[in-house]
Amino acid sequence: MLNSNNLKMKIGILVYKMSGVGGVEKITSEKVNAWIESYGYDVVLITKCEAETPFFYEINKKCKRYDLNIPAKLRSGVKNYIKNIPSAFKLYTELNKVMRSEKIDVLFTTMRGIDSLVVPFVKIRIPKVSEIHGSGFAHNRKAWILKSLIINRYKKFVVLNKSEVDYYPLDNIAVIPNFIDNSDYNYSKNDKKNIIISAGRISREKQFDHLIDIWSIIASKYDQWEVHLYGDGPIEILREKINAMSLQDSFKIFPSTAQIKNKMQDASIFALVSATEAFPMVLLEAMNAKLPIISYDSPNGPKSMVTDGKDGFIVPLNNKISFAEKLELLINDALLRENFIENQRMKLDMFSKKRVMNQWNDLILEILAKK
């Protein structure tokens, strides 16, 4: 019987980049390190266009790295698919070279768009797994019916929660969530400061402007509290909004940091206001930092991680008034915050690194057994 103890395997992981600060980069680095350190596999990490940019998250030195040096920016739409054909052909040829020279046994990829349609045809006999880290809520469902003819050529198509399965007309779907290395720390509620924290890239879908509006509703009542936002991107529009609402003393924006865990541990509440989320890593990080969570019902991740009223609050999507009301409850009730934190323990066990990586390993062994 095939098992991880008698199998020396080489895993390939194909991503756009690893220099960014985000959930995909974070979980990819964690998986690379786990494959090497916990399972003893060889790992080849392939980036599409990284150049000499250093990775944000630490990668085990035993991981072999390649960069294909192909411009990563893609645009959607039929006309742009045609324009992307030369880039897609280069992806095919360069990826083929790496897979041939490294003798990769199974390839994982987070590629999207036309790139995701190229990968199944590279070294056809090598099984490939597509990982979807965004929500299918935002996808064109008619387009997916056409794409399914090719996407079904992947051995497995992995989504992050059960709600996502309904978005894809595919036969090869598996559900595996993200995970957290749930190491504890010397938690004391006395160490917590009056800080509401949020984090993520500054982009339209993260809707951090909503958090400014929400805070403006209640800020005047809580002059001992602050909102801290950690993220990179076009922050000037947010700063202008903060200044226009005279919130600059209590709503502060900081650059992304590798020390976000420590920043979370200092805070008392975590807030998420995204338009869509499939399985936000940042919520697991917040739970691990002993933070009660308040989140929009962003399709479809938060409600698969947070039980409303038990270990956090799930607020109707884009309902700023309701969000402000729930935020006030958490600010005013330290015991409620403690109860939410206590009830998060079981969730952290469900999404532990060991448990979820075993799911990934079982998937690999299943795929190779049928090869």
Side-chain angles (χ1 to χ4, degrees):
M1 181 177 177
L2 192 65
N3 62 70
S4 57
N5 294 323
N6 59 25
L7 179 66
K8 184 62 174 177
M9 192 181 339
K10 184 172 284 189
I11 295 172
I13 301 179
L14 172 66
V15 297
Y16 283 106
K17 60 185 179 65
M18 286 293 294
S19 58
V21 183
V24 176
E25 291 87 350
K26 172 72 171 176
I27 198 66
T28 299
S29 65
E30 292 282 353
K31 284 160 65 177
V32 167
N33 295 338
W35 288 134
I36 295 170
E37 296 161 13
S38 300
Y39 295 86
Y41 297 153
D42 294 330
V43 178
V44 179
L45 181 58
I46 309 163
T47 50
K48 187 180 179 185
C49 188
E50 198 69 64
E52 299 299 321
T53 310
F55 291 0
F56 187 85
Y57 300 103
E58 186 176 350
I59 296 286
N60 190 294
K61 293 180 180 179
K62 292 182 180 179
C63 177
K64 198 164 184 178
R65 291 163 50 178
Y66 285 88
D67 184 67
L68 304 181
N69 193 27
I70 303 170
K73 190 171 184 179
L74 294 176
R75 293 184 174 88
S76 60
V78 175
K79 291 182 179 179
N80 286 311
Y81 262 66
I82 295 172
K83 292 180 181 178
N84 289 328
I85 288 175
S87 174
F89 182 74
K90 186 175 182 182
L91 172 64
Y92 175 90
T93 55
E94 295 301 317
L95 180 59
N96 188 60
K97 291 177 186 176
V98 175
M99 292 184 67
R100 187 191 309 118
S101 65
E102 288 295 333
K103 295 181 171 60
I104 290 170
D105 294 299
V106 58
L107 180 74
F108 293 87
T109 183
T110 60
M111 292 291 182
R112 307 180 303 274
I114 192 172
D115 289 337
S116 68
L117 305 182
V118 171
V119 173
F121 297 100
V122 181
K123 299 290 290 182
I124 293 176
R125 294 183 179 179
I126 303 301
K128 301 168 188 72
V129 178
S130 176
E131 301 178 35
I132 300 299
H133 287 266
S135 176
F137 177 81
H139 289 171
N140 184 324
R141 302 189 77 173
K142 291 182 179 179
W144 269 102
I145 292 173
L146 298 175
K147 291 179 182 178
S148 65
L149 298 173
I150 295 177
I151 299 297
N152 264 319
R153 297 180 70 94
Y154 285 98
K155 284 293 184 181
K156 286 293 179 180
F157 185 85
V158 181
V159 295
L160 292 168
N161 67 70
K162 291 180 180 178
S163 296
E164 292 295 314
V165 173
D166 294 336
Y167 292 119
Y168 302 100
L170 302 172
D171 302 322
N172 55 349
I173 292 186
V175 178
I176 303 179
N178 285 332
F179 61 81
I180 189 75
D181 188 356
N182 57 333
S183 54
D184 210 344
Y185 74 99
N186 295 322
Y187 165 69
S188 170
K189 62 183 179 181
N190 297 324
D191 294 334
K192 294 289 189 179
K193 300 174 184 176
N194 292 343
I195 295 172
I196 301 151
I197 191 170
S198 194
R201 68 184 184 279
I202 310 296
S203 60
R204 180 180 298 177
E205 63 270 23
K206 297 300 180 182
Q207 298 193 149
F208 289 122
D209 58 312
H210 283 223
L211 189 56
I212 300 171
D213 290 333
I214 290 163
W215 183 238
S216 72
I217 296 170
I218 62 174
S220 62
K221 298 189 235 179
Y222 303 104
D223 57 2
Q224 299 301 309
W225 282 76
E226 294 181 356
V227 179
H228 290 186
L229 169 59
Y230 288 85
D232 295 326
I235 65 173
E236 288 310 312
I237 294 176
L238 294 181
R239 288 197 189 279
E240 289 175 7
K241 188 179 183 73
I242 291 168
N243 293 336
M245 293 183 166
S246 300
L247 297 174
Q248 59 267 34
D249 291 335
S250 62
F251 197 115
K252 300 177 180 179
I253 303 178
F254 301 94
S256 296
T257 174
Q259 303 303 316
I260 190 63
K261 180 178 179 180
N262 295 334
K263 302 299 182 183
M264 285 185 173
Q265 288 173 356
D266 287 340
S268 290
I269 299 169
F270 185 86
L272 186 138
V273 289
S274 298
T276 65
E277 290 283 0
F279 197 99
M281 274 296 296
V282 71
L283 289 191
L284 287 184
E285 293 170 335
M287 289 183 190
N288 202 38
K290 306 297 185 291
L291 282 174
I293 291 165
I294 176 168
S295 171
Y296 275 159
D297 188 10
S298 313
N300 282 292
K303 65 185 175 185
S304 71
M305 305 167 71
V306 176
T307 303
D308 183 43
K310 183 176 181 180
D311 48 34
F313 284 129
I314 298 292
V315 176
L317 183 63
N318 298 333
N319 190 327
K320 299 174 187 178
I321 299 297
S322 180
F323 199 109
E325 290 171 350
K326 296 297 187 182
L327 184 55
E328 276 200 276
L329 282 178
L330 287 175
I331 289 173
N332 290 320
D333 194 337
L335 181 58
L336 178 62
R337 299 200 299 268
E338 285 298 308
N339 287 340
F340 280 3
I341 290 168
E342 182 63 29
N343 291 336
Q344 288 171 353
R345 292 180 182 272
M346 188 178 296
K347 294 287 179 66
L348 287 172
D349 290 339
M350 286 175 56
F351 303 126
S352 70
K353 182 176 183 178
K354 181 177 180 180
R355 180 176 181 139
V356 176
M357 281 305 301
N358 281 339
Q359 289 180 255
W360 281 109
N361 198 52
D362 289 345
L363 181 70
I364 287 181
L365 298 179
E366 175 193 339
I367 288 171
L368 293 182
K370 296 178 180 178
K371 185 177 175 182

